[in-house]
Amino acid sequence: MGLISFIKSVGAKLHGASEEKPATPEVLKQEIAKQGLPSDKVAVAVSGDTVTITGKATTTEEAEKIALTVGNTIGVSKVANDIVVEKPAAAAKMY
């Protein structure tokens, strides 16, 4: 789905996270589950201040919510959303 940029000095302060480094993949998956999203279908990897999410989501909305949940935590400046959507929404068209 793409690379999304975030401000890494703001967001939810999760255990072990700081402005210098994001939380661990396990803690980020717990945050996904806490928001009522399916964390068992996705894999989370952290490299520096970039988080990569892979796996499957039922809808485009669900995939976007997972990416936003992870990106809105302290220490994360980019989220590479590589989630495969089973039922993608129609592409938005401008004019």
Side-chain angles (χ1 to χ4, degrees):
M1 293 187 82
L3 188 66
I4 307 167
S5 296
F6 293 87
I7 300 172
K8 73 179 196 173
S9 61
V10 297
K13 294 177 177 146
L14 303 179
H15 178 71
S18 67
E19 286 186 38
E20 290 78 37
K21 66 175 185 134
T24 63
E26 295 79 22
V27 172
L28 291 170
K29 282 188 78 164
Q30 289 173 359
E31 183 66 14
I32 293 168
K34 180 179 161 188
Q35 299 302 321
L37 299 165
S39 63
D40 58 329
K41 293 182 181 180
V42 296
V44 178
V46 176
S47 177
D49 60 2
T50 302
V51 177
T52 302
I53 308 168
T54 56
K56 293 187 178 186
T58 306
T59 64
T60 303
E61 178 183 11
E62 189 175 81
E64 290 173 351
K65 284 181 179 180
I66 291 170
L68 291 173
T69 297
V70 171
N72 286 321
T73 61
I74 198 160
V76 176
S77 71
K78 293 181 185 78
V79 174
N81 186 351
D82 295 333
I83 296 175
V84 176
V85 179
E86 295 170 1
K87 298 176 189 171
K93 293 182 183 179
M94 184 175 217
Y95 306 105

